[in-house]
Amino acid sequence: MSDAEQTREKILTVAADEIHLHGFQATGLSTIINRCGISKGALYYHFTNKLELGYAVFEEKYIPIFLDTWQPALSHEDPIEGLCDFFMSMCDAMVCSEAVCGCPLNNLCEEMANVDEGFRLRILTMQEKLNQLMVESLGRVKSDLRDNITLTQVAYFIVATFYGATTLCKGSRNKSLFQQVMLELCVYIRALRK
Amino acid sequence: MSDAEQTREKILTVAADEIHLHGFQATGLSTIINRCGISKGALYYHFTNKLELGYAVFEEKYIPIFLDTWQPALSHEDPIEGLCDFFMSMCDAMVCSEAVCGCPLNNLCEEMANVDEGFRLRILTMQEKLNQLMVESLGRVKSDLRDNITLTQVAYFIVATFYGATTLCKGSRNKSLFQQVMLELCVYIRALRK
DNA sequence: CTTGCAACAGACCAATCGGTTTGTTAATAT
DNA sequence: ATATTAACAAACCGATTGGTCTGTTGCAAG
């Protein structure tokens, strides 16, 4: 990787972390610059403006992370247990010390959906993609599931609950609260079976 | 109500609306001042700083609205149906034109929980209060419910799903998506019965 | 009549923001 | 050897932010 590419990568990595920690709008370019040890000239050489940097972080960092996080659960031979395992593992991964950052997708959706259309559409695309993946995943065991369920609806319900759990956890800084919601979510998911 | 009290009320009302629309940090004092048709001197006469104004908005505006919104559902003689009615009515109330603002509590929690401890504790108190109310409410018909359920856990689960649904709706600007999650939530709630 | 304070108005200020411009350097192509 | 360019460094800029400071006005008590 060339020096320039390394610089670009470093900017993206630091920006991704900073946006995850403090949100997009609250993240100053000066912070990114300082943490990277570069100048403003360097940043603006690689990105035309703050918004474009944000888009790049979303597409080159958040999307891959997001897919890598959900993929194992969804490609599990038994998606029901795959999801339950995933949610339980998220309980351990959830850090509740100084700050709870939660899911970058959820955060950006809350912060930017009403602020910038470019962000909103990217988030929307990702959410539809996740829903589609989940529908496909559950569809593979459709014969095991109750007859009266709508897969799309169920998929959105699951994601909504997951998102809401992270929000609650942010306010309470209580990992066990997150865990409780996840446990109940597992109860719900397992009850999808006949 | 005296003139001074009227001014204070107007500030609180406008600030509450503006914070609901754009969040606390993105709301400038100049916006509030302009919309109220007052001066900066007036604002700082009634509130020591922006943060204290935010707290006042939370306590004198958001908390009452929040309680008034949930109370009817929870004090319904049949809380299960009370909640279902409530969620269905929220589908109609949800506006999806230019922007989706969602629940002020959820918004502030997402934005401020990791930024200011004063906000976080106020939000936390309110969420615990809601949970307590919901547990009491469901507790009144406990004999009708399945034996293996934990009321607190169920209550947090319900609120989490509701919160997450508003987030999804923000990104998609699709009222029917919100409706789908609410429908599934009703399915879940009704399944709490024996 | 005047003194005093509540209730503002509005100029002012330092800090910070995203963004621009100019300058420098090292490498590469000719 | 020279010209060009990629890849930055850093001073600079206008706009905006929350916050302060110095008035000014109207009513009310003495």
Side-chain angles (χ1 to χ4, degrees):
Chain A
M1 192 158 55
S2 74
D3 286 2
E5 278 170 340
Q6 271 186 15
T7 308
R8 199 187 124 93
E9 261 303 299
K10 181 182 274 184
I11 294 173
L12 283 176
T13 304
V14 167
D17 184 51
E18 212 64 34
I19 293 172
H20 188 207
L21 277 168
H22 308 113
F24 176 76
Q25 301 179 96
T27 294
L29 298 181
S30 56
T31 311
I32 297 174
I33 286 166
N34 290 335
R35 271 191 58 182
C36 288
I38 61 169
S39 69
K40 192 164 272 189
L43 199 158
Y44 272 87
Y45 174 78
H46 288 283
F47 304 94
T48 63
N49 53 35
K50 193 189 178 187
L51 208 49
E52 287 300 323
L53 170 61
Y55 294 163
V57 166
F58 188 89
E59 274 158 12
E60 300 177 41
K61 292 284 168 183
Y62 288 167
I63 289 185
I65 291 174
F66 194 72
L67 288 177
D68 287 353
T69 305
W70 285 88
Q71 202 63 258
L74 298 176
S75 55
H76 195 283
E77 59 171 336
D78 178 0
I80 301 279
E81 286 311 310
L83 281 170
C84 288
D85 291 351
F86 170 63
F87 292 138
M88 287 304 110
S89 74
M90 289 309 278
C91 293
D92 302 327
M94 185 70 73
V95 179
C96 283
S97 52
E98 281 286 308
V100 182
C101 296
C103 166
L105 248 287
N106 173 73
N107 298 356
L108 273 179
C109 185
E110 277 292 337
E111 185 191 358
M112 299 302 295
N114 284 333
V115 174
D116 177 75
E117 193 69 2
F119 263 120
R120 205 198 115 234
L121 292 176
R122 283 170 172 84
I123 293 161
L124 177 56
T125 304
M126 192 64 247
Q127 270 164 0
E128 282 173 345
K129 174 82 180 171
L130 174 62
N131 188 265
Q132 175 202 325
L133 286 174
M134 200 175 291
V135 167
E136 281 173 22
S137 180
L138 292 173
R140 285 191 285 109
V141 291
K142 198 172 196 313
S143 55
D144 299 338
L145 307 182
R146 291 180 349 240
D147 297 324
N148 56 341
I149 68 176
T150 317
L151 284 186
T152 321
Q153 184 167 307
V154 166
Y156 276 126
F157 180 83
I158 292 172
V159 176
T161 306
F162 180 78
Y163 278 3
T166 68
T167 304
L168 283 183
C169 191
K170 263 184 213 178
S172 64
R173 248 167 237 187
N174 185 349
K175 185 189 276 196
S176 106
L177 202 158
F178 182 79
Q179 203 164 8
Q180 285 181 57
V181 178
M182 289 301 101
L183 277 172
E184 194 64 25
L185 183 55
C186 290
V187 170
Y188 164 82
I189 295 178
R190 292 202 173 100
L192 291 173
R193 279 215 173 84
K194 270 174 187 165
Chain B
M1 192 159 55
S2 75
D3 287 2
E5 278 170 339
Q6 271 186 16
T7 308
R8 199 187 124 93
E9 262 303 299
K10 180 182 272 181
I11 294 173
L12 283 177
T13 304
V14 168
D17 184 52
E18 211 65 33
I19 292 172
H20 188 208
L21 277 167
H22 307 113
F24 177 77
Q25 301 180 95
T27 294
L29 298 182
S30 57
T31 311
I32 297 174
I33 286 166
N34 291 334
R35 272 191 57 184
C36 288
I38 62 169
S39 70
K40 192 164 273 189
L43 199 158
Y44 272 86
Y45 174 77
H46 289 283
F47 304 95
T48 63
N49 53 36
K50 192 188 179 188
L51 209 49
E52 287 300 323
L53 170 60
Y55 294 163
V57 166
F58 188 89
E59 274 158 13
E60 300 178 41
K61 293 285 168 183
Y62 288 166
I63 289 185
I65 291 174
F66 195 71
L67 288 177
D68 286 353
T69 306
W70 284 87
Q71 202 62 255
L74 298 176
S75 54
H76 195 283
E77 57 171 338
D78 178 358
I80 301 280
E81 287 311 309
L83 281 170
C84 287
D85 290 350
F86 170 62
F87 292 139
M88 287 304 109
S89 75
M90 288 311 277
C91 293
D92 302 327
M94 185 71 74
V95 179
C96 282
S97 51
E98 281 285 311
V100 182
C101 296
C103 166
L105 248 287
N106 173 74
N107 297 356
L108 273 180
C109 185
E110 278 290 338
E111 185 191 0
M112 299 302 293
N114 284 333
V115 174
D116 177 75
E117 193 68 1
F119 263 121
R120 204 198 115 233
L121 292 176
R122 284 170 172 83
I123 293 161
L124 177 56
T125 304
M126 191 65 247
Q127 270 163 2
E128 282 172 346
K129 174 82 179 169
L130 175 62
N131 188 264
Q132 175 202 325
L133 286 174
M134 201 175 290
V135 167
E136 281 174 22
S137 179
L138 292 173
R140 285 192 284 109
V141 291
K142 198 173 195 314
S143 55
D144 300 339
L145 307 182
R146 288 174 0 232
D147 297 325
N148 56 339
I149 67 176
T150 316
L151 284 186
T152 321
Q153 184 166 308
V154 166
Y156 277 125
F157 179 83
I158 292 171
V159 176
T161 306
F162 180 77
Y163 278 2
T166 68
T167 304
L168 283 182
C169 192
K170 263 185 212 178
S172 65
R173 246 167 238 186
N174 185 348
K175 185 189 277 198
S176 107
L177 202 159
F178 182 80
Q179 203 164 7
Q180 284 181 59
V181 178
M182 288 302 101
L183 278 172
E184 194 63 26
L185 183 55
C186 290
V187 170
Y188 164 82
I189 296 178
R190 292 202 173 100
L192 291 173
R193 278 215 173 83
K194 271 174 187 166

